[in-house]
Amino acid sequence: MKYAVIDKGELGRWFDSLKEKGKIYGPKKKENAFVFRQVKEFEEMSLLYTPTILPPKKYYFPQKEFLFKFKIDPFSTGKAIKEFEEFILFGVHTCDIAGIQCMDVVFNEKPADPNYLNRKEKMTIIGIECMDYCDKYASCAAVGTHVYKGGYDIMLTDIGDSYAMHINSEKGENLVAGKKYIREMTEADREKFNKAFEEKLKKFHNEFEGELKEVDESFDKGFSSPVWKDVGDRCVGCTNCTAVCPTCYCFDVVDEVSLNLNDGSRYRVWNYCQMDDFAKVATGEDFRQGRDARQRHRYFRKFKYSVQKYNKYFCTGCGRCTRTCMAKISLVETVNSLLAERRGK
Amino acid sequence: MNHTDQAFQEILKTSPYKPMKAKVVRAHKYTEHEKFFRIELDGKKELGHAPGQFVQVSLFGQGEAPISICSSPTQKGSFDLTVRRIPGGVMTPAIHALEAGSVLGIRGPFGNAFPLDKMHGNNILIVAGGLGIVPLRSLINYILDKRKDFGEVQILLGCKTPKDMLFGDEVAQWQKRADIKFNCTVDKADPDWKGNVGLITSLIPGVTLSPKQTYAVVVGPPIMYKFVIGELLKKGIPEHQIVVSLERKMKCGLGKCGHCQIRSVYVCQCGPVFTFEQLKEMEGECHEGECHVKA
Amino acid sequence: MSKPKVAFFEFTDCEGCQLQVANLGPGLLELTKLVDIVNFREIMSEEGQEYDVLVVEGSVASKHDEERLKQVAAKAKVIVALGACACTAGVNNLKNLKDLAEQKKIVYGDVDPVSDAIEAKPIDEVVKVDYYIHGCPIYGPEFLKVMECVLLGKPYKVPAYPVCVECKQNENICAYEKGQFCLGPVTRAGCNSWLPNHGSVCVGCRGLIDNPAADAQKDILEKYGLTVDGILDKFTLYCNSKKERAKYGKEFKK
């Protein structure tokens, strides 16, 4: 679509103008980390942040999501799809936007998921471009999510004393329309913008010791690799890596009954392939035993199965799984070990 | 997004999680642990399933459980389920508490089905071990109702003891029919048992069907596959004509929740029916018994 | 149909779990619409004699406890173990670390006011338990959830996954990131990460998950500068019953 520019000093004013569109969620500081929370005042946000503990996933695929109400006797079900309110995600990194794009593919695949799609309809995404690495755990350049590739309504890029705004949808267009403090991008702005981009690219490098094509091959051949035993031996099974992943979408379905023992609701709740009993059936047979097999499954879901199924890498390089792992299992190291093994052969 | 506008609006309005209301019209115990249910959907609506598919049985307050459909789609106005009670479990004891007149929720049918299109015109060898007869009853009754669409048909049935035999009344009928061959074996006989004793694999060498024109459909516990498939390959039945059904933890039935995944395959959508040729590609992630063949 | 009768009995414990029940407020009032509470020392004085559901708090730590538990259990249709002491013997296990005679000497000197004392044990070593509500103290909302299951006649599955699952969903900062030592990764969930939500670390009061990765956990602790002794000390407080020890005993040697 088109580019616009807003002075940094005016960003708060623009933020205020967004409030009438719906609730705004943005990155806030929490001790030494960051979390997405509802933001009432612009100043509450930290726009320069390392990826939040949980990705913004919690707003479009909540930890516990209502499906429908029921009555046990007489058997009846309530309205299943709730009307959701418009909301805005403000300051989303490109890695997390890539995560949303992955979820889009999953929940659009037939049978499509009305809960997700309904929420998605109400969601406005205002992204912010990272001009440098957030920390040493990110591997966004390896998977190409350090630069933006759609999936947002407006993208903000820091070009010094102002932000360039890439307006990528009609929704985005409406958010800037009629604002006098937002101007068309001038030649001078464009120069700054290009320069900033050039400078940024110099800072990022492929974090993997091989191109994606090679990573792909190493996963093809790496199913029985000793790498998985090593990872499995170190894994304590806390499930954090899957909880924080912007592209993990496994869930369980549970019933909750109120204390009258007749009315209740069915929910879906996050569930993780790293859980001990994730693939265990009622008769007791466990179809994915061992932390090594479970970790391998996690990696394959990011680098192989999703490619086979959706032609898409489901690793966004956000680095959360590495950052959160108390056993210090590193995604980059695991991938590099696979690559090294492949080359050794 | 690939949806047309109208189709998309439809999707947004309906929840695939909401079960249909259904009623148990008949219930009886076949064995100590297995109970049979005949079920009608509200308004006698057809379930519209194919042999090999399953439903999610939904009991509000308890949850959901994936259960194979054991009746043929040629049975109109109702469908059948047979459920083994797992002590200490949540769902199966609750399902066993249902009696004629009980109301329950049904979602589905889910999954692919036995490849009837390809099976038409061919010989059919059915190998059922233990609870494997449950989904296979659907196929057997379908074949019997459409008998002329298939070549020679042979059924091999194995169970632990004569007491564990399911669908005894129907098995007796199958035995009598002249247009199919039926063999049965038990691991352990009781004094009244006059038939074969031994593992189901012992029946396979006696199969006389010409292998290249035969589809073998095998359903049983994972460990059975290992031995049965080995015998079938020895017979010369091609890998893509050996068909099995896999058990997995299936929660949503929609290919989303992840529990039933084998490598990149969601069993609830792409399965539960696979050919041995497909199983081999899932090696390493599928159960040892399912894809490591003991010849 | 008359309402099921529920009785609370306490054995060797602090009655803190019953206090959690008493503190449930509206939830408890809702519950009393469905059941009659016939014996509950924390909130009522009169004692009823008949009951269907027996809620047992506390460990068995004396011969008297053992006999009394058998007696009160004989009348019940359903038995619920309430709290760490009843479920795993909780902190009462500490007394088992030393020989009983030696322990008595340390505590009482030359007198012996508890001549019938025995090694502390969870109640399921004496009677068959149908429902477990772990924790020291119990987590109120879980108590209500379990009572719902009791009334619906449905088993309650204690989460098999660790506290981290709940903690991460609550977006707490990981204790390990703060250089603290937390038992969350090996402790069974169900408390909605109660302690970490309030800035504290998990102390393992709900007992270990069924399949704790003891070796991996040890590596982690060493990585964070903790000694094996220190780790065992942490486990000792709550995870010291025979059942719990068996889970890490094989791999988790000094």
Side-chain angles (χ1 to χ4, degrees), chain B residues 237-257:
Chain B
I237 299 180
E239 290 182 351
H240 67 275
Q241 287 172 214
I242 299 175
V243 177
V244 305
S245 175
L246 300 186
E247 183 195 13
R248 283 296 182 279
K249 182 167 178 172
M250 292 182 273
K251 269 280 170 189
C252 71
L254 307 167
K256 302 276 188 285
C257 81

Side-chain angles (χ1 to χ4, degrees), chain A residues 30-31 35 37 54 58 63 233-236 238-240 257 259 261 270 272 276 291 324 326-328, chain C residues 27 30 34 148 151 161-162 164-165 168-169 171-173 176 178 185 211 213 216-217 220 223-224:
Chain A
K30 178 176 179 178
E31 297 176 56
V35 289
R37 287 278 187 275
L54 291 181
K58 60 183 180 177
Q63 293 94 318
D233 283 347
R234 289 190 286 149
C235 173
V236 71
C238 73
T239 74
N240 282 354
V257 182
L259 268 173
L261 301 184
W270 288 4
Y272 315 119
D276 226 25
R291 284 176 276 268
T324 195
M326 56 196 91
K328 302 203 189 296
Chain C
E30 276 288 304
L34 296 171
E148 249 168 50
L151 294 167
Y161 48 78
C164 296
V165 169
K168 201 45 75 187
Q169 291 193 9
E171 269 194 299
N172 294 319
I173 314 254
Y176 288 93
K178 296 192 265 189
N211 184 21
Q217 179 66 15
I220 290 170
K223 229 171 254 162
Y224 287 88

Side-chain angles (χ1 to χ4, degrees), chain B residues 12-248:
Chain B
L12 296 185
K13 268 187 258 162
T14 48
S15 171
Y17 293 100
K18 228 162 113 163
M20 302 174 271
K21 189 178 170 186
K23 191 172 73 190
V24 176
V25 290
R26 212 167 88 198
H28 65 85
K29 270 189 150 187
Y30 261 118
T31 72
E32 196 190 335
H33 306 290
E34 280 99 13
K35 194 165 174 179
F36 171 91
F37 302 92
R38 178 149 295 172
I39 290 164
E40 275 178 20
L41 292 176
D42 218 19
K44 284 211 164 192
K45 222 172 73 188
E46 292 296 336
L47 180 64
H49 71 287
Q53 288 193 295
F54 67 96
V55 290
Q56 287 283 357
V57 171
S58 200
L59 297 178
F60 292 150
Q62 310 279 346
E64 288 192 318
I67 307 286
S68 305
I69 304 158
C70 68
S71 55
S72 161
T74 48
Q75 172 184 321
K76 296 296 173 195
S78 65
F79 62 94
D80 302 341
L81 306 175
T82 300
V83 180
R84 173 176 287 178
R85 184 181 190 277
I86 299 154
V90 176
M91 277 305 287
T92 58
I95 295 174
H96 266 232
L98 300 176
E99 293 298 345
S102 300
V103 174
L104 71 162
I106 294 287
R107 285 199 302 132
F110 294 118
N112 64 355
F114 296 119
L116 287 175
D117 285 356
K118 290 180 187 155
M119 289 159 68
H120 280 159
N122 283 293
N123 300 327
I124 306 296
L125 172 65
I126 286 172
V127 186
L131 273 188
I133 188 63
V134 172
L136 285 174
R137 175 183 178 258
S138 170
L139 179 65
I140 292 170
N141 285 339
Y142 178 84
I143 291 173
L144 294 180
D145 285 344
K146 307 246 175 191
R147 184 61 192 89
K148 64 174 180 2
D149 293 348
F150 299 89
E152 289 178 64
V153 175
Q154 185 164 3
I155 300 169
L156 309 179
L157 174 63
C159 42
K160 275 191 186 136
T161 72
K163 268 204 204 80
D164 297 310
M165 177 147 355
L166 293 166
F167 316 121
D169 38 351
E170 284 169 53
V171 167
Q173 297 295 318
W174 298 343
Q175 247 155 348
K176 281 185 209 147
R177 282 182 78 127
D179 59 349
I180 58 167
K181 259 194 189 168
F182 181 89
N183 301 84
C184 183
T185 181
V186 296
D187 297 352
K188 226 180 125 191
D190 63 15
D192 296 334
W193 181 253
K194 293 185 187 69
N196 296 305
V197 179
L199 294 175
I200 194 156
T201 39
S202 64
L203 298 177
I204 297 173
V207 171
T208 53
L209 303 172
S210 73
K212 298 285 179 261
Q213 285 76 49
T214 296
Y215 268 82
V217 187
V218 189
V219 187
I223 196 69
M224 187 189 97
Y225 290 135
K226 184 167 169 169
F227 298 101
V228 168
I229 293 172
E231 289 294 321
L232 295 175
L233 291 173
K234 263 197 246 166
K235 276 265 157 200
I237 299 180
E239 290 182 351
H240 67 275
Q241 287 172 214
I242 299 175
V243 177
V244 305
S245 175
L246 300 186
E247 183 195 13
R248 283 296 182 279

Side-chain angles (χ1 to χ4, degrees), chain A residues 78 129 337:
Chain A
E129 202 180 355
S337 302

Side-chain angles (χ1 to χ4, degrees), chain C residues 140-152:
Chain C
E142 194 188 22
F143 170 80
L144 291 174
K145 215 186 260 183
V146 172
M147 290 313 282
E148 249 168 50
C149 289
V150 171
L151 294 167
L152 287 169

